[in-house]
Amino acid sequence: MTVWQIILLASIAVLALKLLGYLVPPSVLEKPAAARTAQLTTVALLSALIVVQTASVGQALVVDARLPAIAVAAALLAVRASFILVILAAALTAAALRALGWAA
């Protein structure tokens, strides 16, 4: 199989799965377990995306200025700082560490 055939088959499978979602009765979706699973899946996928984008370059894991910047942002979010302050502090942390020579 070529790459394009695999992409086409995967696209068809995803579309079929999405269409099957319309056949699920509303009573199943209203159960607390289903709602909780959907919420946790969303958080897990977003967390995985953040880790992959922060700690990797291509196929390699890299610890550079992005990781401490994310840690600063997480700490500020934990103490409920304003979002603009979180963004500015993370950006300044990454910029300062890169200026000091900490790069991948």
Side-chain angles (χ1 to χ4, degrees):
M1 286 185 109
T2 67
V3 172
W4 286 108
Q5 289 172 329
I6 294 170
I7 291 172
L8 184 61
L9 286 175
S11 299
I12 292 169
V14 167
L15 180 63
L17 186 61
K18 191 169 187 140
L19 291 175
L20 282 174
Y22 288 110
L23 299 176
V24 176
S27 61
V28 172
L29 298 175
E30 292 170 357
K31 292 182 180 177
R36 181 89 172 131
T37 301
Q39 290 173 352
L40 291 176
T41 302
T42 304
V43 171
L45 289 173
L46 182 57
S47 300
L49 177 64
I50 289 170
V51 169
V52 166
Q53 292 296 317
T54 302
S56 69
V57 174
Q59 296 290 323
L61 289 175
V62 178
V63 177
D64 60 5
R66 295 176 293 180
L67 208 53
I70 290 290
V72 167
L76 288 173
L77 285 172
V79 297
R80 301 207 182 265
S82 70
F83 189 68
I84 191 70
L85 178 66
V86 171
I87 298 298
L88 287 173
L92 289 173
T93 300
L97 289 173
R98 288 184 176 146
L100 292 171
W102 191 12

